[in-house]
Amino acid sequence: MHALRESHGTDPETFAKIREAGEPVVLRGLVADWPVVAAAKRGELGAYLSGLATDEPVPMVRAPAGEHGRLHYAPSIERPNFEREPVTIAGFFAEFERQTGAAAPDTLAIQGLSTEQVMPGFAVANPMPLVPPEVAPRLWLGTSAIVATHNDQVENLACVVAGRRRFTLFAPEQVANLYMGPFHITPAGAAISMAHVTAPDLERYPRFADALADARSAELEPGDAIYIPYGWYHHVEALSPLNLLVNYWWNPARRDVGSPWDALMHGMVALRQLPPDQRRAWRAMFDHYVFKTSGDPAAHLPEVARGILGADSPADLATMRQSIIAALQRQG
């Protein structure tokens, strides 16, 4: 496992270069001057957030003490090992105080809460100039917990406000070594790794040793942030009794070209069952025409002769999409 690269005094120009490199980086002290960080350091996080929040209930995760903070699957892998219940922000802190005095406290978490929904003044009071202005912050509030390895089809800037967090990151190319769980049953929407970073079972998941050897890790203090590029897998440990993370998700890719996830699903249907020699041929086709591993596949043709090889305009893409839909309907 390797230490994550770090940046200090990160400004928008530096952050643009970090994003261009496509590698994860810890941004030390990025949000150290946020009012919410100061409130947390004074022990006033509950009062600060409750003062900004509405009374609208939000989903809270509750896992029993026997799960030791790990938010994952129940043994059957048919459901998560936690339940969800509605709570207000003020209600969360009241329950946190009750659990603090318990002999075996439950794990509590509010995950991915959009501040636009229940805390509309948060973004103005705690600004983030590194991300597009339309991107709203999300809150991850909870007790000590472990979020299993997963990835997001977005870029992610995550800022530690209260408590310490340990991030362990895996490059997208490590997917075969992560032993991902099912797509259709997930604890929180994204597929998660069945292999545990904190207690790896290398007899059951032997390739996970290769993933760990290539992994990158860092521990963040309040005021620090981390940039997680598109598609990078990450495992997150909230290490303190009370923790708050604020993150920003955004995707600069074109929105009129369809979903890569849908293309993957179609590929699994149309390609996975082919004989090995045919899969080999189509792998080469995808590398050349889709992923452009040898450069522009139409560069040797005049523009008037490129057809779908040069399709780029919204009208061209709409025509191609309609052709795909018609083909799928014929198959049905």
mmCIF file of all heavy atoms in Angstrom, residues 14 183 208:
data_model
loop_
_atom_site.group_PDB
_atom_site.id
_atom_site.type_symbol
_atom_site.label_atom_id
_atom_site.label_comp_id
_atom_site.label_asym_id
_atom_site.label_seq_id
_atom_site.Cartn_x
_atom_site.Cartn_y
_atom_site.Cartn_z
ATOM 1 N N THR A 14 -4.121 25.153 -9.543
ATOM 2 C CA THR A 14 -3.465 23.911 -9.127
ATOM 3 C C THR A 14 -4.431 22.742 -9.207
ATOM 4 O O THR A 14 -4.072 21.643 -9.645
ATOM 5 C CB THR A 14 -2.932 24.048 -7.694
ATOM 6 O OG1 THR A 14 -2.041 25.154 -7.622
ATOM 7 C CG2 THR A 14 -2.210 22.786 -7.256
ATOM 8 N N PHE A 183 -24.752 -6.344 -8.763
ATOM 9 C CA PHE A 183 -25.201 -5.024 -9.213
ATOM 10 C C PHE A 183 -26.616 -4.718 -8.740
ATOM 11 O O PHE A 183 -26.960 -3.561 -8.504
ATOM 12 C CB PHE A 183 -25.181 -4.949 -10.740
ATOM 13 C CG PHE A 183 -23.801 -4.849 -11.352
ATOM 14 C CD1 PHE A 183 -23.640 -4.908 -12.725
ATOM 15 C CD2 PHE A 183 -22.671 -4.712 -10.572
ATOM 16 C CE1 PHE A 183 -22.385 -4.822 -13.304
ATOM 17 C CE2 PHE A 183 -21.410 -4.624 -11.128
ATOM 18 C CZ PHE A 183 -21.269 -4.671 -12.508
ATOM 19 N N PHE A 208 -7.214 -10.168 -3.996
ATOM 20 C CA PHE A 208 -7.312 -8.919 -3.252
ATOM 21 C C PHE A 208 -5.943 -8.491 -2.714
ATOM 22 O O PHE A 208 -5.704 -7.303 -2.488
ATOM 23 C CB PHE A 208 -8.321 -9.050 -2.117
ATOM 24 C CG PHE A 208 -8.680 -7.739 -1.469
ATOM 25 C CD1 PHE A 208 -9.186 -6.691 -2.211
ATOM 26 C CD2 PHE A 208 -8.505 -7.551 -0.098
ATOM 27 C CE1 PHE A 208 -9.510 -5.472 -1.616
ATOM 28 C CE2 PHE A 208 -8.831 -6.348 0.509
ATOM 29 C CZ PHE A 208 -9.329 -5.305 -0.253
#
